[in-house]
Amino acid sequence: VRVRGALRFGPDVFVDDHCVIYSEDPQVRIAFGTHVSLYRGTVLHAGNGAVVEIGDDTHIQNGVQITAFGSVRIGSRVQIAPHCNFYPYDHGIWDDGVPIKDQPLRTRGGIVIGDDAWLGVGVTVLDGVTIGEGAVIGAGAVVTKDIPAKAIAAGVPARVIGQRPTRH
């Protein structure tokens, strides 16, 4: 753990071996709620004034990559399977004559994962996406657009293939 910005751990946060939480940016804010678990090999790298919030009772399994050069807000009771990836930014590509590596990073609003969502193995979530409360994302999906609450989505790019039942 090496963070120059603000870092807050709620009670009973578990950070497994070989996890990395890193930022050289003093404007970064990272906050973990109560009973959050980060399992082996998870990497959280933040910059560009990023805000990363992870809600209570959320479990992030091994090998997850959160590269936050924009905001990432993960709700409470979220289950994130191994090897998921979160990228809340994009490289500029439109300035002709300027190498891509020299173009500024940009964001379309970051990533929001609603409470009680479940992301299967190897899901990638891209910038500007909101995954609604209680949604389920199938293994290997690439989420490029918002997914409604209680939806079941899968594929590349992810699309809604079903709906979870709603209790009345």
Side-chain angles (χ1 to χ4, degrees):
V1 175
R2 179 179 170 166
V3 175
R4 290 190 60 210
L7 174 62
R8 182 182 61 80
F9 288 102
D12 298 320
V13 170
F14 172 74
V15 179
D16 204 349
D17 294 334
H18 307 290
C19 289
V20 175
I21 302 170
Y22 173 78
S23 178
E24 288 293 328
D25 182 351
Q27 302 302 314
V28 163
R29 292 182 297 134
I30 301 170
F32 296 90
T34 302
H35 301 294
V36 172
S37 297
L38 295 180
Y39 291 97
R40 185 176 298 261
T42 293
V43 175
L44 191 166
H45 178 201
N48 281 13
V51 174
V52 179
E53 298 172 345
I54 300 173
D56 297 342
D57 298 309
T58 289
H59 296 273
I60 299 175
Q61 295 296 328
N62 60 297
V64 169
Q65 174 80 37
I66 302 171
T67 305
F69 288 82
S71 66
V72 176
R73 290 180 167 87
I74 298 172
S76 295
R77 300 171 307 282
V78 174
Q79 302 299 308
I80 299 174
H83 307 292
C84 290
N85 302 287
F86 297 82
Y87 298 106
Y89 69 96
D90 224 339
H91 287 277
I93 61 170
W94 302 109
D95 291 333
D96 190 31
V98 177
I100 290 174
K101 72 174 190 66
D102 295 333
Q103 294 188 37
L105 299 179
R106 60 187 184 162
T107 183
R108 296 179 312 162
I111 294 170
V112 177
I113 310 296
D115 294 344
D116 299 309
W118 176 24
L119 281 64
V121 172
V123 168
T124 296
V125 183
L126 299 179
D127 184 37
V129 167
T130 296
I131 295 175
E133 181 175 344
V136 174
I137 311 299
V142 177
V143 186
T144 62
K145 295 182 180 168
D146 292 352
I147 303 296
K150 300 279 188 171
I152 301 167
V156 178
R159 63 180 180 80
V160 175
I161 60 170
Q163 194 73 22
R164 295 181 59 221
T166 303
R167 294 184 189 211
H168 297 285

